[in-house]
Amino acid sequence: MQPKFYISCSREKLGCVFALFYYESNADIYGWHIEAKGHYFSAAFFMIENFYANRATRLYRSIEDDVYGQWTIDYPPTRDEIRCPAPEEACHELERLQSRFVEEWLFFQDDPNIAAEVIAYREHGIPVQEVNIRWRRMNRMEKRNGLWSGMATGIDLNIVELLRKYWRLSEKVPAR
């Protein structure tokens, strides 16, 4: 299974980062998503059930950034908390991929050993925010109309749009 990713940030709206990775398993999608706006961010694992099936689609997400913790359904919306709908092997894979994705693409303001990232950001006049894209990755991103973006070949942008449309951003986590 080859995970796909999408990541973007706004040069005009500092601190706005939108990133996700996912992989497909039959008709379902499993992944992780983070969105930062200023001093707040939302990060969670997700499952899109029946995305590639001719049945009702459901968007599940972990309530906290914990694949084994409580989950909820964002689409169709509900406030009920449920157990993780993903099978155990998918949970293990999500944790492994999330660790690798963060290590390759992102850093947080309070991470240790980010001196080189901070220097690169300063040299380019960009303040370090709560969630940031690693500088070596930013250089490879497409820059258009104030938006920097990068994505894997073959990504299904319908998944990105579904998350943008139905993810409940009001449930953000204050900065660490």
Side-chain angles (χ1 to χ4, degrees):
M1 99 190 60
Q2 183 67 17
K4 297 186 173 73
F5 71 90
Y6 176 88
I7 190 162
S8 66
C9 66
S10 173
R11 179 94 170 147
E12 283 81 39
K13 297 176 187 172
L14 295 174
C16 290
V17 173
F18 182 97
L20 67 96
F21 75 81
Y22 71 88
Y23 70 90
E24 302 163 358
S25 179
N26 299 317
D28 301 329
I29 304 293
Y30 299 97
W32 181 77
H33 170 265
I34 187 167
E35 186 165 359
K37 291 188 178 184
H39 296 292
Y40 292 91
F41 66 91
S42 173
F45 293 91
F46 67 88
M47 175 187 170
I48 306 171
E49 184 179 52
N50 299 323
F51 189 75
Y52 292 116
N54 193 13
R55 294 189 299 248
T57 299
R58 287 183 167 227
L59 170 60
Y60 300 91
R61 72 166 164 84
S62 59
I63 293 176
E64 296 180 10
D65 194 12
D66 177 6
V67 74
Y68 297 104
Q70 293 296 306
W71 286 55
T72 190
I73 303 172
D74 275 358
Y75 178 78
T78 181
R79 291 284 178 208
D80 297 338
E81 292 185 9
I82 60 173
R83 290 177 40 190
C84 175
E88 187 71 22
E89 61 274 4
C91 293
H92 292 312
E93 186 65 5
L94 283 170
E95 278 192 320
R96 185 185 72 77
L97 291 172
Q98 187 244 16
S99 178
R100 194 173 90 199
F101 181 77
V102 169
E103 184 178 303
E104 290 178 14
W105 280 97
L106 303 172
F107 72 96
F108 297 84
Q109 190 174 39
D110 62 354
D111 285 347
N113 306 316
I114 60 167
E117 299 290 349
V118 172
I119 290 168
Y121 267 61
R122 275 196 197 127
E123 286 174 353
H124 293 88
I126 302 172
V128 173
Q129 301 291 324
E130 295 300 322
V131 180
N132 307 274
I133 299 171
R134 295 195 179 275
W135 187 255
R136 72 180 188 280
R137 294 291 188 169
M138 286 186 73
N139 286 329
R140 297 180 187 159
M141 296 172 74
E142 180 179 327
K143 298 160 185 82
R144 185 183 311 166
N145 299 328
L147 183 70
W148 297 9
S149 63
M151 64 189 83
T153 304
I155 189 167
D156 187 337
L157 291 174
N158 292 310
I159 293 168
V160 174
E161 290 307 312
L162 184 125
L163 292 178
R164 286 189 194 270
K165 185 173 183 179
Y166 294 111
W167 198 271
R168 286 190 255 159
L169 294 175
S170 61
E171 298 179 12
K172 296 178 186 172
V173 177
R176 299 185 245 175

